[in-house]
């Protein structure tokens, strides 16, 4: 797919991915260098395109202490996604796993954003199939994610209604970021984002969805998502001060060619795993990595990248207050 809002596009790849893609054996060397991984997100592109995706995830679980893992997907290849997901669930019965399916609107709105005909029907089919799989595996969770951009922000209510009709779990919202194929995709009305947040909260109040599940902290994850939406709304309205970002400290990005960055939005690479014999700990402690962490703190870096914002929230008393408030609203 060539999604309109995606910054991970052809121009970016041509400029930034300068080395061959890591092999399975090289990923295994990487895994051996890490004593533990609290949360592993295997993204893309489309991670389910890999013929060995189940084996790759299982290798990480066997090689290091893996807390939980997740794969986002376009949902286009339903049969392969469900088959691979079940293979991972069977191979790793003690490790929580989640698949998040992208759904960016109803019908032509979704297909227009994703720039592929038939993508909407495939995504809906995958969401339904994964939820049937979830009924059989207690350590499995399914999410639906909508990336709000200029292209689909007019259709928030219709998207919310659709998600409620096909998905019993939580609807998550992201916001477009970076330099996408459509340079105007990031021009999101803050009130459209707020409306989505409101609709999720209203659905929660009437018991219209199940919160995250599959592990002991799942309800806290749902509370964190709600608090994160509060914070992102403050950021896009210019009402929140920067600082305290934990990108490059508690979390990072490893690209397919072995490049390591603090986060995907900051163009200050730590280095490449191949230059450190696939020892992530050694690379993480390099002078270049230390300099980047100093820059992040000195510049009071702040963005709406949901994964890294989630990690930074762990170190923010204000965010914990918001999370606790939302957690109290959840039953149990």
């Amino acid at each position: 797919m060539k999604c309109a809002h995606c910054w991970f596009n052809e121009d970016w790849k041509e400029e930034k991915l300068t080395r061959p893609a890591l092999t399975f054996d090289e990923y295994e060397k990487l895994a051996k260098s890490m004593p533990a991984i609290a949360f592993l997100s295997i993204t893309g592109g489309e991670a389910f395109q890999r013929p060995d995706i189940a084996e790759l995830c299982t290798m990480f679980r066997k090689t290091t202490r893996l807390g939980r893992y997740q794969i986002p997907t376009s949902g286009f290849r339903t049969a392969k996604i469900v088959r691979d997901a079940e293979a991972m669930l069977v191979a790793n019965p003690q490790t929580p796993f989640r698949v998040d399916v992208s759904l960016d609107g109803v019908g032509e709105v979704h297909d227009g954003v994703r720039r592929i005909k038939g993508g909407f029907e495939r995504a809906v089919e995958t969401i339904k199939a994964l939820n049937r799989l979830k009924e059989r595996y207690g350590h499995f969770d399914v999410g639906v994610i909508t990336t709000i951009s200029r292209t689909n922000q007019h259709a928030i209510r219709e998207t919310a209604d659709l998600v409620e009709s096909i998905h019993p779990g939580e609807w998550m919202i992201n916001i477009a970021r970076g330099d996408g194929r459509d340079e105007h995709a990031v021009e999101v009305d803050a009130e459209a984002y707020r409306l989505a947040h409101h609709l999720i909260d209203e659905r929660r109040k009437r018991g219209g969805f199940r919160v995250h599940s599959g592990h002991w902290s799942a309800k806290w994850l749902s509370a964190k998502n709600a608090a994160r939406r509060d914070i992102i709304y403050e950021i896009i309205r210019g009402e929140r001060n920067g600082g305290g970002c934990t990108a490059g400290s508690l979390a990072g990005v490893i690209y397919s060619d072995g490049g390591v960055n603090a986060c995907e939005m900051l163009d200050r690479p730590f280095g490449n795993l191949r230059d450190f014999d696939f020892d992530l700990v050694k690379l993480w402690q390099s002078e270049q990595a230390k300099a980047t962490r100093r820059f992040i703190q000195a510049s009071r870096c702040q963005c709406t990248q949901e994964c890294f914002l989630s990690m930074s929230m762990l170190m923010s008393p204000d965010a914990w207050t918001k999370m606790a408030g939302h957690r109290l609203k959840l039953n149990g």
Side-chain angles (χ1 to χ4, degrees):
M1 293 187 179
K2 296 184 178 181
C3 307
H5 59 258
C6 188
W7 60 269
F8 194 65
N9 52 53
E10 297 75 23
D11 292 341
W12 188 94
K13 293 174 187 176
E14 183 176 356
E15 178 184 355
K16 303 296 184 182
L17 301 182
T18 59
R19 299 195 185 187
L22 297 176
T23 66
F24 188 98
D25 289 344
E26 288 173 330
Y27 277 116
E28 190 168 22
K29 290 180 182 178
L30 163 65
K32 288 178 179 178
S33 78
M34 294 183 284
I37 305 174
F39 175 62
L40 176 66
S41 180
I42 301 180
T43 66
E46 175 60 71
F48 282 106
Q49 291 275 39
R50 291 186 65 106
D52 62 350
I53 185 64
E55 292 79 6
L56 184 69
C57 292
T58 300
M59 178 276 292
F60 271 101
R61 192 269 303 167
K62 289 181 176 179
T63 307
T64 186
R65 294 195 304 276
L66 179 61
R68 59 188 181 92
Y69 62 114
Q70 172 257 6
I71 300 177
T73 177
S74 67
F76 194 75
R77 301 179 65 186
T78 303
K80 185 178 188 305
I81 293 165
V82 174
R83 182 173 63 250
D84 287 347
E86 184 161 24
M88 286 181 261
L89 291 165
V90 171
N92 308 292
Q94 304 301 318
T95 308
F97 173 45
R98 190 176 83 241
V99 175
D100 293 323
V101 183
S102 295
L103 192 66
D104 291 325
V106 180
E108 292 181 357
V109 174
H110 175 90
D111 287 359
V113 171
R114 295 275 152 178
R115 297 184 176 180
I116 188 167
K117 187 175 181 180
F120 170 72
E121 288 83 2
R122 297 284 191 91
V124 169
E125 181 184 357
T126 300
I127 291 166
K128 292 179 178 179
L130 288 173
N131 273 299
R132 289 193 294 270
L133 188 65
K134 176 180 169 60
E135 294 174 1
R136 294 161 41 207
Y137 294 95
H139 59 302
F140 185 45
D141 199 12
V142 181
V144 173
I145 298 181
T146 298
T147 298
I148 300 176
S149 67
R150 191 184 72 160
T151 310
N152 64 1
Q153 62 182 352
H154 67 283
I156 297 298
R157 287 188 181 277
E158 294 86 344
T159 305
D161 290 343
L162 168 69
V163 173
E164 183 166 1
S165 70
I166 64 172
H167 179 56
E170 186 169 345
W171 180 38
M172 293 173 285
I173 53 171
N174 288 353
I175 190 167
R177 59 183 181 272
D179 298 321
R181 293 181 178 91
D182 176 1
E183 62 181 314
H184 300 292
V186 296
E187 297 171 4
V188 177
D189 183 349
E191 296 312 308
Y193 185 86
R194 186 183 187 186
L195 172 61
H197 181 17
H198 170 74
L199 292 172
I200 294 169
D201 197 45
E202 286 298 306
R203 186 180 174 193
R204 175 197 59 76
K205 288 178 181 177
R206 65 175 186 273
F209 72 84
R210 296 195 300 260
V211 296
H212 280 298
S213 61
H215 54 97
W216 68 269
S217 61
K219 288 188 177 181
W220 276 103
L221 179 59
S222 291
K224 179 269 297 178
N225 288 344
R228 187 178 65 192
R229 293 192 295 269
D230 291 335
I231 290 171
I232 288 176
Y233 181 67
E234 293 171 3
I235 291 173
I236 59 181
R237 284 177 56 87
E239 298 173 349
R240 190 173 183 86
N241 294 326
C245 180
T246 61
S249 298
L250 298 183
V253 176
I254 300 174
Y255 292 115
S256 60
D257 71 340
V260 178
N261 278 46
C263 85
E264 62 190 29
M265 303 306 298
L266 184 64
D267 191 17
R268 293 177 68 101
F270 281 9
N272 192 286
L273 287 166
R274 289 189 170 103
D275 298 327
F276 291 82
D277 195 28
F278 300 96
D279 188 338
L280 182 63
V281 174
K282 184 177 179 181
L283 188 156
W284 207 255
Q285 295 171 347
S286 68
E287 288 305 315
Q288 192 163 336
K290 292 176 182 177
T292 298
R293 285 191 285 270
R294 288 194 295 269
F295 170 82
I296 290 171
Q297 299 310 315
S299 64
R300 301 184 66 80
C301 195
Q302 177 174 258
C303 73
T304 61
Q305 210 285 358
E306 288 81 8
C307 293
F308 292 94
L309 186 55
S310 293
M311 297 305 299
S312 298
M313 288 168 63
L314 295 175
M315 310 305 292
S316 167
D318 169 60
W320 271 106
T321 300
K322 293 179 186 292
M323 283 189 282
H326 285 289
R327 178 64 183 86
L328 289 172
K329 296 176 184 178
L330 302 176
N331 294 328

